[in-house]
Amino acid sequence: MAVGSEELASFEKNVQDLISWVQTRSSEDTGEGNGTEDCDSRLPKQSPSRSARGTTEQRLARFLNEQQSALAHGGLTEERRKRLLQIPGLKSRINQWESRSSVQLSFEQRVLQLKAWAETHGRLPRYGEGSKEERALGQFLNFQRRHLEQKQPDPRKLELLREVPGMEQQFQNWSRPRCNFMARADKLEAWVRAAGRLPTKASQEKCE
């Protein structure tokens, strides 16, 4: 399975699991099979407890955190946003994310920062290296690769990114199939960013 299709299948599985999670909690709270009022409060939450780290709730909470990060970095496609809105209670949560994101830099502003940085340093920023600014821009770039791998990447965003020196070559590099190592490294990176720690062997969660 190609990396893009594998990642898409993982996204869809998490969405389905979230729908089931909220519906189950709604049923427990109301005694009915389809109670979905105030579903935002029934969305999974992350817990600092070690005993909770391997649970389904923690996996789904990390998934939600990843979607929030993707939105903040301009990497959440409209197709995925619409799919997430089908999860009971997530509409108000996404509205909160977008409200917070609007206070942060817009996609256009981030691209301008990236362009200025590339022009100054003669290269694109590298993920996880250099100054705080380079690491932030490297993370932004990483989300753009994920966005590009979606079935329908935003052509407006791609056009803006092409104005950045070195991005045409970067697009070509990204178009090559990733090796298994790189795919697994990306998954590990996303997991650590969401969980705030490295995975442990003692965990009972299959994903971890």
Side-chain angles (χ1 to χ4, degrees):
M1 183 183 291
V3 173
S5 58
E6 180 180 327
E7 200 268 342
L8 180 61
S10 176
F11 175 88
E12 182 58 32
K13 180 182 185 306
N14 280 313
V15 169
Q16 292 288 349
D17 288 350
L18 269 168
I19 292 175
S20 297
W21 171 276
V22 175
Q23 289 177 340
T24 299
R25 296 306 174 279
S26 298
S27 178
E28 291 174 352
D29 290 347
T30 64
E32 301 175 0
N34 61 348
T36 56
E37 295 181 4
D38 191 28
C39 287
D40 179 82
S41 64
R42 301 184 184 114
L43 290 170
K45 300 177 178 64
Q46 282 197 294
S47 169
S49 170
R50 284 183 174 273
S51 62
R53 286 178 180 174
T55 65
T56 298
E57 179 173 16
Q58 295 306 289
R59 171 174 63 84
L60 295 176
R62 288 196 299 270
F63 172 73
L64 286 178
N65 286 345
E66 290 175 11
Q67 305 318 304
Q68 182 179 6
S69 294
L71 186 149
H73 289 84
L76 185 66
T77 64
E78 184 61 24
E79 179 184 12
R80 289 198 170 192
R81 183 183 181 279
K82 289 179 179 178
R83 186 70 181 103
L84 289 171
L85 286 173
Q86 296 175 13
I87 300 170
L90 203 58
K91 181 177 180 180
S92 61
R93 183 70 61 85
I94 290 178
N95 288 338
Q96 293 174 17
W97 294 348
E98 291 176 334
S99 175
R100 295 169 188 166
S101 181
S102 65
V103 178
Q104 302 172 2
L105 293 178
S106 66
F107 182 85
E108 290 79 3
Q109 289 171 318
R110 287 184 181 275
V111 172
L112 287 175
Q113 277 192 343
L114 177 63
K115 182 178 180 181
W117 196 96
E119 289 174 345
T120 299
H121 295 81
R123 64 175 176 84
L124 292 171
R126 301 186 181 99
Y127 184 83
E129 296 186 15
S131 66
K132 181 179 179 180
E133 181 184 19
E134 179 173 7
R135 292 196 301 273
L137 291 172
Q139 184 180 39
F140 172 73
L141 263 185
N142 191 53
F143 274 105
Q144 304 324 305
R145 176 170 191 170
R146 296 180 185 181
H147 174 73
L148 186 64
E149 290 174 342
Q150 303 308 309
K151 289 195 298 184
Q152 296 180 325
D154 187 333
R156 182 186 64 85
K157 291 182 178 179
L158 298 183
E159 183 179 354
L160 288 171
L161 287 169
R162 283 193 172 94
E163 297 178 5
V164 178
M167 281 305 301
E168 282 293 350
Q169 180 61 49
Q170 192 72 9
F171 283 154
Q172 293 179 26
N173 295 339
W174 288 347
S175 66
R176 299 170 189 151
R178 300 198 203 196
C179 67
N180 289 337
F181 174 81
M182 291 302 295
R184 293 178 68 83
D186 273 359
K187 287 183 178 180
L188 175 61
E189 169 208 321
W191 193 94
V192 171
R193 185 176 57 252
R197 63 177 179 86
L198 290 170
T200 61
K201 291 183 179 180
S203 173
Q204 297 180 354
E205 184 180 358
K206 183 178 179 181
C207 177
E208 183 173 359

